[in-house]
Amino acid sequence: MVAFGKKLKETQIQEWQGYYINYKLLKKKVNRYTQQIQVGAENRLNVLKDFARMLDDQIEKIVLFLLEQQGALASRLSDLGEHHDALSQHQDGSRISELQEAYRAVGHDLLRLLFFVEMNATGLRKILKKFDKRFGYRFTDYYVKTRANHPYSQLRQVFKHVGIGAVVGAISRNLAELQDHQGSYISIYDQPALSHPDPVVDSIKAAVNRLSHSTNFLEFLGKHAFIMQEELPSPSGEQDVEQRYHFTSLLLNLVNTFLYMVNTYVIVPTADNYSLSLGAAATVCGVIIGSMAVAQVFSSVYFSAWSNRSYLKPLVFSSIVLLVGNTLYAMAYDLNSIAVLLIGRLFCGLGSARAVNRRYISDCVPLKLRMQASAGFVSASALGMACGPALACLFQTNFKIYKLTFNEDTLPGWVMALLWLVYLLWLWISFREPLLETKENLVPQEANAGLLINCTVDNGSTRPLLLNSEAKQKDENDDQELDNDDHDEDDEDSKITHRPVTSIMSAYQLLTPSVKVQLFVYFMLKYAMEILLAESSVITEHYFIWSTSRVAIFLACLGLTVLPVNIIVGNYISNIFEERQVLLASEIVVCIGILLSFHILVPYSVPQYVGSALITFVAAEVLEGVNLSLLSRVMSSRLSRGTYNGGLLSTEAGTLARVIADGTITISGYLGESRLLNVTLLPSLFICISSIVATCITYNALY
């Protein structure tokens, strides 16, 4: 990995060197503050004031230059507008082409300006992060709170690129009209769907979206997958990925994801009846459902490690284990053994290959297709979640073949075993094992992995424009000294610290307070969703005497809300509000849904239960996408690859939440089914309120 200072020198716009954030100066100041505080030569309050003043000066320099460049672009667009008006009176094909190229030239200069803003925003985030890490302060929280919320905020100009939208709109509108010069000059504002896309405009929109974290449905859906994506891949690395890509193999991974989610939720409507038929309490359904999650805690780790060497072998092993697990689950009825039932579900959990599915998309799908593949992964999960309970509706039968019973309790196991057998045969015939990366190729790929995780934190510093060779040599020496400091002191910029972590404890040590809070939020939402889904059959039978079919339809309808909700959030809400605002609002709505679910005094009704469940589930779905998106931004880049990656940590947090939730249902069942609802909701409410408080504490760090 190139050191921080060197990286900027290679990518910065040379003629604008003097207007970049002076990262080198700020870093030297941080080092000097450290030495002064250690010897008692400086107090902490003066350090905070001095550093805040320096940051204010740097931001002001950046913003004034940004405004100057925006004014120059606006002036050029105004001149081009006059030519455009004159051309509308006398159409000339050659002049139209010249005018189009002139607008595209302005667009290219705007792209350079957006890149300038992105580099400076990255530098600010990085130096704030370094300052907090070095001194143990929450200076970032204070600085963002006082600067970003001020009516004369210059910080907002850098991070929110105020005013650039008007320039983008002018370029887009005029290019669209010039392209339609033979028609009726329909404005893009009147009919956006009829506008003519231009490559320059598309590039500008992509740059603006990257800066503002704006999104659309496909991107928002892809964020749910929490799959690492390379922002600046090396050409050779991307060529290797192209060679490894195989559509049928990708499809097999998505089918594996779908079948596993069906396998998880197909038993939920009947788990309480199955446990009763084997002589156990209905609330033992919590243990039956949760045993799969218990095994998944361990399977996620070994599948993640196994995917370093192969993709086919772990998928084959997963299919065999799931085939055996579902067969045991079905045979437990005739064996009259709750132990066999639980062992079958444990086997199903040990076959969870979601870590392999994620890893395949991350490593073997080209960058241009990775977002679509990520969205496909999430869609397959959502569809499986809805199809599982819906499939249970079809199993309302009871017959025997030889000594094997086929009824609503056992058919989920038999059908899933058959599906995994068919999948195993298809996998063996059609899957193509990608070529493994050699060590020589792996190092640069890891070094260049500007991944979705923390992808906005690895950029550079700057140096003033020099006028003579002596000064230039001195500056290069200073840069070299600073680069050495980068390698020795900066945990995220050195080659050593960009290697994947090798243990769970090493991964935990890289978790900042913001990351811990986001993992806790993920834990909370998975806990609330598991409580809602896993106890639904017991609660609805106790209060409303629902049949298995009605429970299955209810759960299937909840699952079917996932994609429509993501369409609304991805296309509209995420483009209007900041992600941290959506995060906090979603947590509050989840809390409201939990509060509405309590049974207090008045008779418990179907509208109350269904309405509160819908509010909780939909809010949790919205929360999951935003939470994983924010988590990817604040998590260390060291957790981008390897066995103990960010995806594994989030999976473990969610799986642990499900285990605890299912255990809570079973333990609470000893108090009686009449108390089950309120007793299980109390921990959900406490965890939800705690997550809201934690989010408020780290809110400004998510700016």
Side-chain angles (χ1 to χ4, degrees), residues 55-274:
L55 282 178
D56 290 340
D57 291 342
Q58 293 293 314
I59 291 172
E60 184 175 276
K61 174 184 68 175
I62 296 166
V63 169
L64 291 178
F65 178 75
L66 176 61
L67 292 175
E68 177 186 334
Q69 293 299 312
Q70 285 181 356
L73 292 176
S75 178
R76 290 169 61 187
L77 287 172
S78 179
D79 293 339
L80 290 175
E82 294 178 3
H83 292 295
H84 192 179
D85 291 339
L87 189 61
S88 63
Q89 304 298 326
H90 307 284
Q91 291 191 12
D92 185 338
S94 62
R95 292 184 60 191
I96 288 176
S97 299
E98 291 176 3
L99 197 56
Q100 285 177 321
E101 290 305 316
Y103 274 112
R104 291 191 182 104
V106 176
H108 284 299
D109 287 342
L110 179 58
L111 276 173
R112 298 172 74 223
L113 189 61
L114 289 170
F115 180 71
F116 169 83
V117 175
E118 184 177 12
M119 296 292 284
N120 283 289
T122 296
L124 285 171
R125 288 192 182 102
K126 188 170 182 67
I127 198 65
L128 285 168
K129 182 178 179 181
K130 179 178 287 294
F131 189 89
D132 283 349
K133 184 176 181 179
R134 188 65 61 87
F135 297 103
Y137 299 152
R138 288 180 57 210
F139 179 74
T140 299
D141 184 78
Y142 161 78
Y143 192 79
V144 170
K145 184 189 300 180
T146 55
R147 269 63 175 179
N149 299 325
H150 195 277
Y152 307 133
S153 173
Q154 293 179 326
L155 186 66
R156 196 181 300 123
Q157 288 276 354
V158 178
F159 283 100
K160 303 303 177 186
H161 48 86
V162 179
I164 288 180
V167 180
V168 178
I171 297 172
S172 303
R173 183 183 68 83
N174 283 281
L175 280 175
E177 289 186 358
L178 287 169
Q179 230 172 359
D180 194 32
H181 63 276
Q182 295 179 348
S184 57
Y185 294 102
I186 298 175
S187 173
I188 62 170
Y189 302 115
D190 298 325
Q191 299 187 36
L194 297 180
S195 63
H196 301 275
D198 189 278
V200 172
V201 176
D202 291 340
S203 299
I204 293 172
K205 288 180 179 178
V208 171
N209 288 343
R210 190 169 63 249
L211 271 175
S212 62
H213 305 290
S214 182
T215 186
N216 56 35
F217 168 60
L218 183 64
E219 292 170 342
F220 184 80
L221 198 63
K223 290 174 182 176
H224 283 66
F226 200 52
I227 290 171
M228 319 308 180
Q229 301 206 52
E230 298 179 18
E231 173 124 329
L232 297 172
S234 63
S236 60
E238 186 63 16
Q239 186 177 4
D240 291 340
V241 174
E242 292 275 2
Q243 293 175 353
R244 292 197 300 271
Y245 175 63
H246 183 231
F247 175 76
T248 304
S249 300
L250 171 62
L251 181 62
L252 283 163
N253 273 278
L254 297 181
V255 171
N256 182 280
T257 299
F258 169 77
L259 289 178
Y260 186 79
M261 293 303 292
V262 172
N263 210 148
T264 301
Y265 289 99
V266 70
I267 71 155
V268 173
T270 58
D272 56 336
N273 289 331
Y274 204 168

Side-chain angles (χ1 to χ4, degrees), residues 9-55:
K9 278 201 275 186
E10 295 172 357
T11 57
Q12 69 182 215
I13 300 169
Q14 296 301 315
E15 59 265 34
W16 295 350
Q17 283 179 329
Y19 302 101
Y20 282 86
I21 181 175
N22 196 335
Y23 180 81
K24 179 171 68 176
L25 175 63
L26 293 171
K27 184 173 179 180
K28 284 183 176 179
K29 274 288 187 181
V30 171
N31 294 337
R32 190 172 302 140
Y33 291 148
T34 305
Q35 297 171 358
Q36 291 174 343
I37 289 177
Q38 287 176 349
V39 300
E42 190 68 82
N43 65 61
R44 294 175 180 266
L45 182 59
N46 288 339
V47 166
L48 292 175
K49 289 182 178 179
D50 188 47
F51 193 66
R53 180 189 60 78
M54 290 186 64
L55 282 178

Side-chain angles (χ1 to χ4, degrees), residues 522-543:
Y522 190 70
F523 175 93
M524 178 275 291
L525 70 91
K526 287 299 182 183
Y527 183 93
M529 291 175 70
E530 188 69 12
I531 288 289
L532 169 64
L533 298 175
E535 70 178 12
S536 59
S537 58
V538 179
I539 295 299
T540 53
E541 183 177 358
H542 175 75
Y543 285 104

Side-chain angles (χ1 to χ4, degrees), residues 55 131 225 231 238 254 279 295 350 365 394 416 446 450 462 478 504 511 534 593 601 605 616 661 663:
L55 282 178
F131 189 89
E231 173 124 329
E238 186 63 16
L254 297 181
L350 292 174
V365 176
L394 306 177
M416 290 310 304
E446 290 179 354
T462 188
D478 289 343
I504 194 70
L511 303 184
L601 299 179
S605 64
T616 302

Side-chain angles (χ1 to χ4, degrees), residues 305-339:
W306 201 348
S307 63
N308 291 326
R309 302 184 298 275
S310 174
Y311 298 99
L312 176 60
K313 292 178 181 178
L315 288 175
V316 170
F317 176 78
S318 165
S319 304
I320 294 173
V321 171
L322 282 159
L323 192 158
V324 173
N326 282 288
T327 302
L328 290 174
Y329 180 86
M331 293 180 64
Y333 187 90
D334 293 303
L335 296 175
N336 194 28
S337 172
I338 192 73

